[in-house]
Amino acid sequence: MQHDSGTALIRPTEDSSAFDIDDAEIAAWLSTLDIPCTTPVQAVRIGIGQSNLTFLLTDADGRRWILRRPPLGRLLASAHDVAREARIVSALEPTDVPVPRIHDVRHEGETALVLMEYVDGVVVDRMDSAVQLTTEQRRKTAIALVRTLARIHAVDLAATGLIDLASHKPYAGRQLKRWSDQWERSKTRQLPPLGRLTERLLAAVPEQRELTLVHGDFNLRNVIVAPTGEIAAVLDWELCTLGDPLADIGSLLAYWPTVGEPTIAGLEICTLPGFPVREELIEEYLAVTGRDRRALGFWHALGLWKLAIIAEGVFRRTLDDPRNRAAAGTPTRELVEGLIDTADRVATEAGL
């Protein structure tokens, strides 16, 4: 576990209300990459992400880039590895998976900073961006989302050099162990229902039949949508690994609530008219990939279980350092408990 209060390039202001950047250092960094840059450079935190911090850099001539770095405060071991994320994105650049170009990775002590291209488009992560889409555009975007996920799962691991990205052991067991450990390190109280759900999932692990690239956090808010409704770029590869492709569908379903279900703030946009219901997403994915749906109930329940643990970690990080608070607000203890209850119901409906 490490503690990070900022880097020489970008650090919190004295009152912790914003971030200051060394724009001369930014310009010097870009110069070494043969990228024009005119000072002054402004940095604005963007997105509603609660994990790694993302900044839009704009120079005096209107050129734009994205800078990504780990959150401030106490960090769990192996979490928030933006350098690893940059390796994955760079490996995917020659494929048909849409990703931003990585310009460089800079290390300042134990902290990595990733500079990448700015991709024009819309991130549908708030109600105000979702309502700007017509019902037809919403449906087209959702279908494009699923088809893009199918392309991720079709990536040639050997050709991209990602065959050694992670263990080849069965993914479900790895996930249950990893996120159980994360819960123990980040929990703010004892929660017996989560322990019972964990045992239930452990007892129902399905056989893994294939190994593919797995995004690990694939949902509507982690892509950039082009004006055509196609996916211009897939973002947030922090949790990417090798494993069972149905795990990504389980995560997508966990992030795609029906009306009335407890969910992370902002995800209620998925219930707007035009966006397909979960079953339609499943049918589209299965039609494109030809995969079997029998284990989907398990992966949906595990996705909700993992989302509850992630929400608890976000809650804990914000308690540790309020500067990590994002625009979407902070998950609550009640939300974590609601996600666990939903996962339990999904597991029951799947016969687990």
Side-chain angles (χ1 to χ4, degrees):
M1 195 167 293
Q2 58 177 304
H3 190 278
D4 171 29
S5 60
T7 68
L9 191 70
I10 187 162
R11 62 176 56 253
T13 56
E14 288 188 9
D15 63 1
S16 299
S17 63
F19 289 83
D20 283 333
I21 67 164
D22 185 333
D23 57 357
E25 188 63 27
I26 286 276
W29 182 14
L30 287 166
S31 177
T32 66
L33 304 173
D34 294 324
I35 299 175
C37 177
T38 306
T39 56
V41 179
Q42 293 184 329
V44 177
R45 187 177 172 194
I46 59 172
I48 61 174
Q50 306 262 14
S51 183
N52 291 321
L53 305 181
T54 304
F55 299 87
L56 171 63
L57 306 182
T58 307
D59 80 349
D61 292 329
R63 303 182 188 94
R64 293 179 288 187
W65 305 272
I66 297 297
L67 180 69
R68 194 155 158 82
R69 55 143 298 148
L72 303 166
R74 187 177 68 163
L75 306 182
L76 297 175
S78 81
H80 317 294
D81 190 343
V82 294
R84 177 181 180 273
E85 182 180 42
R87 174 206 165 183
I88 295 164
V89 174
S90 293
L92 292 174
E93 189 176 343
T95 74
D96 64 354
V97 176
V99 290
R101 179 185 177 191
I102 301 296
H103 290 306
D104 198 22
V105 179
R106 172 190 177 111
H107 293 272
E108 295 187 0
E110 294 183 339
T111 302
L113 301 134
V114 177
L115 185 71
M116 65 182 74
E117 75 167 321
Y118 174 84
V119 177
D120 201 13
V122 176
V123 177
V124 188
D125 58 359
R126 295 178 175 88
M127 187 60 73
D128 59 357
S129 57
V131 297
Q132 291 178 20
L133 303 178
T134 65
T135 54
E136 182 180 348
Q137 287 173 322
R138 290 175 199 149
R139 179 169 184 80
K140 185 173 182 179
T141 295
I143 297 302
L145 188 71
V146 173
R147 291 176 179 171
T148 299
L149 182 57
R151 292 205 294 272
I152 292 172
H153 296 159
V155 164
D156 186 323
L157 298 176
T160 54
L162 295 174
I163 192 71
D164 65 347
L165 180 65
S167 170
H168 290 202
K169 293 180 180 179
Y171 184 55
R174 286 158 45 206
Q175 283 285 280
L176 285 161
K177 182 181 187 306
R178 175 183 179 179
W179 290 99
S180 292
D181 290 346
Q182 296 287 62
W183 171 261
E184 291 302 321
R185 290 183 174 94
S186 63
K187 66 184 179 183
T188 62
R189 79 286 197 200
Q190 298 298 322
L191 198 57
L194 184 131
R196 291 193 292 271
L197 177 61
T198 303
E199 292 300 319
R200 191 176 186 183
L201 292 170
L202 281 166
V205 170
E207 178 185 0
Q208 182 165 319
R209 300 180 181 276
E210 58 180 322
L211 184 83
T212 72
L213 193 68
V214 172
H215 181 277
D217 194 23
F218 193 80
N219 66 84
L220 181 62
R221 304 189 304 179
N222 281 347
V223 300
I224 297 175
V225 181
T228 59
E230 296 300 315
I231 305 303
V234 180
L235 310 174
D236 292 343
W237 292 86
E238 176 189 346
L239 300 179
C240 182
T241 187
L242 305 181
D244 193 314
L246 292 184
D248 269 339
I249 287 292
S251 294
L252 179 59
L253 299 179
Y255 278 99
W256 203 279
T258 59
V259 176
E261 283 184 345
T263 191
I264 300 292
L267 290 180
E268 64 276 3
I269 61 179
C270 297
T271 64
L272 288 174
F275 283 124
V277 297
R278 286 194 294 246
E279 185 59 31
E280 292 180 82
L281 300 180
I282 293 170
E283 293 298 333
E284 179 66 24
Y285 179 82
L286 297 180
V288 172
T289 65
R291 292 191 167 98
D292 192 304
R293 68 178 298 154
R294 281 177 290 181
L296 269 178
F298 170 86
W299 289 111
H300 185 188
L302 188 140
L304 288 160
W305 171 84
K306 185 168 75 171
L307 186 56
I309 294 172
I310 290 172
E312 180 81 359
V314 172
F315 178 67
R316 176 62 178 266
R317 283 198 302 276
T318 305
L319 288 180
D320 289 346
D321 194 327
R323 293 171 297 187
N324 289 316
R325 185 183 300 273
T330 303
T332 63
R333 290 186 173 96
E334 292 74 20
L335 171 62
V336 173
E337 293 162 12
L339 289 168
I340 294 168
D341 288 344
T342 304
D344 191 70
R345 172 179 59 77
V346 168
T348 297
E349 291 172 353
L352 305 183

